[in-house]
Amino acid sequence: MNVVVVGAGIVGVCTAIELVKAGAKVTIVEAESPGGEQAASHGNGAWLSPASVVPMSMPGLWKKVPGYLLDRSGPLTIRWKSLPGLASWLLKFTLAGASISKVERTSRALNQLLRDAPHRHARLAEEAGLSHLIRQDGLLYAYPSKEAFADESLSWKLRKMNGVRWQEWDALKIKSKIPHLAPKYTFGAWVQDGAHCLNPEEYVRGLANYAVSLGADFIKGTVTKVDVKGNVHINGELLSTDKVVLACGIGSRVLAKMVGDDVPMRSERGYNVVIKKPEFELAFPVMPSDGRMANTSTNDGLRLSGQVELADEAAGPDWRRSDILLHHAAQTYPSLIGEKYDPATMTRWMGKRPSMSDGLPVISRSRASARIVYAFGHGHVGLAAAPKTAEIVCSIVMDRNAHPSYREFSVQRFFGNLNFNASIEKEPKLG
Ligand SMILES: Cc1cc2nc3c(=O)[nH]c(=O)nc-3n(C[C@H](O)[C@H](O)[C@H](O)COP(=O)(O)OP(=O)(O)OC[C@H]3O[C@@H](n4cnc5c(N)ncnc54)[C@H](O)[C@@H]3O)c2cc1C
């Protein structure tokens, strides 16, 4: 079977590897470079976290939206001008987290992709000769007090329900592990099964090379058109194939629309700042609860990443979002006080998380044809979720089984009355 995989971000490269191993003749088509700056996979927080089962949309979000529109320094911002174009997506996004039962359901679905993500990455990295890029040292959520932790009790209940394990640390224990953290963080939840990647770009590039070493072809080009017969137009040239996997992040939306699936996907733009030579290294990544950002020591330096900015697809970066990350970092690590963005010592980046309105990716065949298969919309968790996604995509492409238990990722959910509950209820009760 000939399969074209469109996109060489983390989802595309993991999918290509899985498909070649299953015996398919795979061609990867990528517009730029695997894991390059254009990809969300390039500059993310590098967390491989089974604890990322907490949806972004949680009960009460709607009350906060007006504040987000006014506050330019918070963790989430919406550009006024873009509001009309985003309103419908935003409404669906907010409704997706409107009740506890909804967020429980979403978190159970995410857990299917995330529960063994660190282990899957470690195995894949070893196979591809990239073990040096994956560290399984745990992840710390740091709080100024136990009360602040308790304020997020719903998030931790969801994690517990999904089998996430953590240790609760006091100020002394935190200090012994992360001495550079400000003393205001007196309570910590250390997720022992968490892992991280030391260089997501190098990892994605390495996995793309691994796919090629296993027999995949690589074409640098932009897919401008696909159709239900399996015709793929690359920079205007036609390639006919048996199956096409759309794994091109935010770019998947326009291609899915061409085959009849106008999906509710928008980009949640995120930012990072990397301090190239920080005075300290973190023993494991940290998420300070007040700054809402992932702090990760990578091979390139200390990466501060986060922020959600909702804006027009074509709008340029607003680098004030990176300054906010630096500002929070100075509150989190006193030795960074006074740091200002300086291109000699820092880099910064903006990337587009491909986010579905209901907080779950689309991993399914298209409605119109089994020839077109979707693997996009992973929002905040695509790095971690990619290996399991690839496994599911592979079984769909190879028609191994219909994967009834993954119907919650089907594109059909946006168009028909797919019985979502029926599939999720087959999952063991976790709580
Ligand atoms: C600031 C930030 C922090 C994050 N932190 C984390 C984290 O800590 N952990 C985590 O798990 N996730 C995190 N994420 C989310 C994660 O990065 C994404 O979910 C993931 O990278 C999506 O991968 P992808 O392969 O679907 O898309 P992408 O990485 O965007 O790759 C898509 C690729 O397709 C190519 N492409 C697009 N259109 C076409 C076309 N028409 N033809 C050919 N090629 C095309 C692009 O050039 C690109 O290379 C974060 C994201 C951001 C922005």
Side-chain angles (χ1 to χ4, degrees):
M1 185 189 291
N2 288 301
V3 186
V4 167
V5 176
V6 187
I10 187 68
V11 175
V13 295
C14 287
T15 299
I17 291 168
E18 200 71 27
L19 285 167
V20 191
K21 289 202 286 192
K25 178 84 193 82
V26 174
T27 303
I28 305 169
V29 186
E30 165 57 51
E32 304 282 340
S33 58
E37 282 196 5
Q38 81 292 342
S41 304
H42 177 87
N44 54 46
W47 284 43
L48 305 172
S49 177
S52 300
V53 290
V54 180
M56 286 299 124
S57 178
M58 292 281 274
L61 176 69
W62 62 272
K63 288 188 220 153
K64 297 180 188 160
V65 170
Y68 292 143
L69 281 165
L70 296 172
D71 178 9
R72 305 289 299 160
S73 66
L76 191 154
T77 185
I78 307 168
R79 289 203 198 168
W80 273 101
K81 272 201 299 198
S82 314
L83 194 56
L86 285 164
S88 144
W89 181 89
L90 194 58
L91 179 66
K92 289 181 192 145
F93 181 78
T94 310
L95 289 175
S99 70
I100 293 192
S101 63
K102 282 184 175 181
V103 295
E104 276 182 1
R105 202 171 64 180
T106 307
S107 78
R108 278 207 185 91
L110 287 173
N111 190 41
Q112 300 184 72
L113 303 175
L114 295 173
R115 65 179 147 225
D116 51 2
H119 173 67
R120 282 175 182 272
H121 277 283
R123 206 173 50 197
L124 178 63
E126 188 178 354
E127 211 182 284
L130 301 167
S131 291
H132 56 287
L133 294 177
I134 302 295
R135 293 276 291 267
Q136 294 182 277
D137 299 330
L139 305 159
L140 181 69
Y141 292 77
Y143 293 88
S145 62
K146 185 146 194 188
E147 290 69 40
F149 171 75
D151 287 345
E152 293 186 0
S153 61
L154 176 57
S155 301
W156 290 99
K157 271 186 198 149
L158 291 174
R159 292 182 174 119
K160 189 165 187 193
M161 177 188 87
N162 284 299
V164 176
R165 303 180 305 158
W166 69 89
Q167 290 175 13
E168 298 186 0
W169 287 359
D170 61 12
L172 239 111
K173 179 88 179 184
I174 295 173
K175 182 137 191 71
S176 71
K177 298 287 182 184
I178 312 277
H180 289 85
L181 198 65
K184 70 172 175 175
Y185 296 101
T186 56
F187 189 84
W190 180 66
V191 175
Q192 63 247 51
D193 299 322
H196 69 285
C197 178
L198 287 173
N199 187 331
E201 179 188 13
E202 190 184 334
Y203 186 46
V204 174
R205 201 173 47 235
L207 291 177
N209 289 337
Y210 178 52
V212 170
S213 76
L214 293 176
D217 287 331
F218 183 89
I219 297 178
K220 182 165 178 185
T222 303
V223 172
T224 49
K225 197 171 156 198
V226 286
D227 68 31
V228 293
K229 294 191 182 123
N231 295 317
V232 182
H233 296 253
I234 306 164
N235 296 340
E237 302 251 324
L238 177 69
L239 180 72
S240 290
T241 184
D242 298 314
K243 301 221 170 164
V244 184
V245 179
L246 298 186
C248 45
I250 195 67
S252 310
R253 184 178 162 215
V254 59
L255 298 177
K257 196 172 173 183
M258 285 177 194
V259 292
D261 291 322
D262 189 3
V263 291
M265 174 160 71
R266 292 290 182 274
S267 58
E268 285 184 68
R269 295 142 62 108
Y271 289 80
N272 85 23
V273 178
V274 178
I275 302 175
K276 291 184 206 165
K277 290 199 172 116
E279 277 176 31
F280 60 91
E281 203 171 305
L282 300 171
F284 36 75
V286 176
M287 171 93 59
S289 68
D290 39 3
R292 300 242 163 257
M293 55 177 178
N295 306 152
T296 308
S297 287
T298 67
N299 287 345
D300 293 334
L302 177 63
R303 184 178 287 200
L304 315 164
S305 73
Q307 293 282 307
V308 169
E309 181 190 43
L310 301 176
D312 287 343
E313 225 49 81
D318 176 356
W319 294 120
R320 284 174 300 182
R321 313 307 310 167
S322 301
D323 296 340
I324 293 167
L325 291 169
L326 258 180
H327 168 78
H328 281 304
Q331 323 263 306
T332 309
Y333 309 97
S335 62
L336 297 180
I337 288 174
E339 289 280 3
K340 294 257 178 308
Y341 176 71
D342 175 355
T345 55
M346 297 176 200
T347 59
R348 59 190 183 183
W349 170 85
M350 184 276 283
K352 297 178 179 179
R353 302 177 185 93
S355 296
M356 307 310 300
S357 58
D358 64 357
L360 292 175
V362 180
I363 313 169
S364 78
R365 50 161 287 183
S366 69
R367 284 186 304 153
S369 166
R371 282 179 183 266
I372 311 289
V373 177
Y374 298 147
F376 57 74
H378 291 75
H380 291 244
V381 301
L383 179 67
K388 178 66 184 179
T389 298
E391 184 187 284
I392 301 172
V393 174
C394 184
S395 56
I396 296 170
V397 170
M398 306 306 274
D399 288 327
R400 281 214 192 108
N401 75 47
H403 263 297
S405 60
Y406 297 115
R407 289 172 68 208
E408 54 275 28
F409 302 127
S410 170
V411 74
Q412 187 68 43
R413 70 190 193 265
F414 298 114
F415 302 99
N417 34 3
L418 183 71
N419 190 348
F420 185 96
N421 283 324
S423 60
I424 206 84
E425 275 160 15
K426 287 191 187 136
E427 282 293 295
K429 289 276 174 239
L430 296 160

